[in-house]
Amino acid sequence: MLDKALALADYDGFKQRRRAAAKRGKYRGLGISCMLEHAGGVPLEGTALTFPGGETLILGLNVQSTGQGHASVFTPLLAERLGIRPEQIVHRHGDSAMEVAGYASVGSRSAMTVSHAMIKTVEAMLAKGRAIAATVLEAAESDIEYRNGRFNVVGTDRAISLFDVAARAKEMKKRSEIGEDLDTKTSAETPLTFPNGCHIAEVEIDPASGALALVGYTAVDDCGRPLNPMIIEGQTHGAIAQGVGQAVLERAVFDTSGGQLITGSFMDYAMPRADDLPLFKDAIHAVPATTNPLGVKGAGEAGTTAAISALMNAIADAIPGGAGAHLDMPATAEKIWQACQQTQKT
C-alpha cells in the first residue's frame, strides 16, 4: 500500500515541486499516514427474508441507512446470491415490528455484519426450500439443487421457481403440513475487522499570511472485499473531507466570560468546502478479511482516521525548523503564520 500511495502521489517528483514553490516564496510539505483501525464494535446483526406474495422478496434489516447506501449494496448482493432480479427485492430497515436483532450504523460495521447475517439467512431459507421443492417435484431432497432462482431436479428439466416454492410453502403451512414457510429470520455475530491504509497529503503554505492550500491528496485503502466500489469511494472522499475539517478548520469557540458558544452557526463555524479540497487520487488494495464469509472490512471511517495525521504531518514538514511540528488542531492560518514567524526569527 505504501508503494502504491507513493506512486499515485508522485513522491519522486516532490523535491522538484518543493523547489518550485520556494521560488514563489511558498513552503511545500508532504505528510504520510499509515493507519490501522478496528471496525465493528457490536458483533450481532440479523436479517429477515419475507415473501409477501407474487414475485417479490422483502429484505428486512435492523440496521438503518443514514446515507451509507444500504439499498444499493445489499439488494444487488442478495439478488446475485439468489439469482433473481434486484427489482424483485424490497429493502426495509429500522422497523421494530420486524423484530430483527441488531444495532445502529456505527463503527463501520454495517457491511460486514449484514452480509454475514444475510448469507446465513439465505442458506437457512434455501434449506427449507429444497425440502418443499422435493415434495412438490416428487424427488429426493438430495437431488434438488438451487440455481438462478429455481429449484431443479438434477439431471432433468423439472424445476420450480423460488417464488412458486414460497407460495406452496404458505399453503402447506396453512394446512399444517409443515411447521414453517420460507419466511426466514436469523442473526450472526461478526468479529472485528481491521481496515488499514496509507494516505499522503501535500500542502503549500504562504508564510506571509499563514494561508494553507491542500494541493494533493492520495489514499490507498484496504477495506477487504469491496461490495460496491462507488459507495466506498464516496465514503472515503467524505471521510477525508471530515478529517481535513478537523485538522485545519473546525473549532468550537466559547467566550471567556459566560461560556457562550460563539461558533454556533455555519456563519462562524468553518466547515470544509469544495475549494478547500483537491481532486483526490484513491485506490483500493483489497485483502479479504478472515472473520466473515465475504471477507468484508469496514470502510466508512478510514478517510477520517488517516486524513488528520497525513495533513498535520504535511504542515509539520512544510514549515522549516520544526516550528510546525507541535501545532494544536485546528491548524488555522493564524497558528500557521505564528509558526512561520518563529521560523523566520530563528
Side-chain angles (χ1 to χ4, degrees), residues 2 16 22-23 80 89 121 144 195 202 230 258 276 294-295 322 328:
L2 177 60
Q16 182 179 349
K23 290 179 181 179
E80 180 185 5
I89 300 173
T121 306
I144 300 294
E202 188 168 333
M230 180 183 69
D276 295 312
L294 294 183
D328 290 333

Side-chain angles (χ1 to χ4, degrees), residues 83-104:
I84 61 178
R85 301 189 311 278
E87 296 79 15
Q88 294 176 281
I89 300 173
V90 176
H91 170 257
R92 287 179 58 193
H93 61 123
D95 184 351
S96 60
M98 295 188 296
E99 297 183 345
V100 178
Y103 195 66

Side-chain angles (χ1 to χ4, degrees), residues 93-116:
H93 61 123
D95 184 351
S96 60
M98 295 188 296
E99 297 183 345
V100 178
Y103 195 66
S105 299
V106 297
S108 296
R109 63 181 295 275
S110 301
M112 62 189 191
T113 56
V114 170
S115 63
H116 185 184

Side-chain angles (χ1 to χ4, degrees), residues 23-325:
K23 290 179 181 179
R24 293 182 280 106
K26 304 292 180 66
Y27 295 157
R28 192 105 171 182
L30 185 141
I32 299 175
S33 171
C34 294
M35 68 88 182
L36 171 74
E37 63 165 336
H38 67 272
V42 180
L44 179 67
E45 196 64 37
T47 59
L49 300 178
T50 308
F51 295 85
E55 295 194 348
T56 299
L57 173 61
I58 296 174
L59 169 62
L61 305 180
N62 174 85
V63 68
Q64 296 186 56
S65 178
T66 54
Q68 297 90 343
H70 288 177
S72 299
V73 175
F74 301 130
T75 299
L77 180 63
L78 178 59
E80 180 185 5
R81 202 84 184 173
L82 292 176
I84 61 178
R85 301 189 311 278
E87 296 79 15
Q88 294 176 281
I89 300 173
V90 176
H91 170 257
R92 287 179 58 193
H93 61 123
D95 184 351
S96 60
M98 295 188 296
E99 297 183 345
V100 178
Y103 195 66
S105 299
V106 297
S108 296
R109 63 181 295 275
S110 301
M112 62 189 191
T113 56
V114 170
S115 63
H116 185 184
M118 182 191 299
I119 289 173
K120 186 176 177 182
T121 306
V122 166
E123 289 173 349
M125 182 271 289
L126 292 179
K128 293 189 292 184
R130 286 189 187 93
I132 295 166
T135 300
V136 174
L137 297 172
E138 298 180 342
E141 187 174 336
S142 58
D143 291 334
I144 300 294
E145 66 173 1
Y146 181 82
R147 189 161 38 90
N148 298 327
R150 298 171 68 83
F151 293 94
N152 306 278
V153 180
V154 176
T156 74
D157 59 357
R158 294 161 59 203
I160 183 172
S161 76
L162 170 65
F163 294 103
D164 285 341
V165 169
R168 292 289 191 96
K170 288 189 182 296
E171 294 173 2
M172 294 168 71
K173 184 180 178 181
K174 286 181 182 179
R175 297 195 297 265
S176 300
E177 296 175 10
I178 56 174
E180 293 185 34
D181 54 25
L182 256 59
D183 292 353
T184 307
K185 184 191 307 178
T186 67
S187 61
E189 292 205 358
T190 307
L192 291 174
T193 62
F194 297 90
N196 52 98
C198 179
H199 289 210
I200 300 177
E202 188 168 333
V203 302
E204 190 169 279
I205 291 172
D206 180 359
S209 65
L212 177 140
L214 178 59
V215 295
Y217 197 97
T218 300
V220 177
D221 287 293
D222 169 21
C223 60
R225 176 186 169 185
L227 299 183
N228 187 311
M230 180 183 69
I231 285 181
I232 290 172
E233 183 179 51
Q235 290 192 351
T236 301
H237 290 181
I240 292 170
Q242 183 176 345
V244 170
Q246 181 172 340
V248 299
L249 293 169
E250 299 182 47
R251 178 173 54 168
V253 179
F254 297 85
D255 68 18
T256 56
S257 56
Q260 176 66 40
L261 178 65
I262 298 173
T263 54
S265 76
F266 289 131
M267 292 292 290
D268 307 299
Y269 186 89
M271 291 283 287
R273 295 173 170 81
D275 61 354
D276 295 312
L277 306 169
L279 292 176
F280 300 128
K281 298 178 181 178
D282 56 89
I284 293 174
H285 181 86
V287 179
T290 59
T291 55
N292 59 81
L294 294 183
V296 179
K297 299 176 185 176
E301 298 163 332
T304 304
T305 304
I308 297 169
S309 53
L311 189 50
M312 295 303 291
N313 286 342
I315 294 170
D317 182 58
I319 302 174

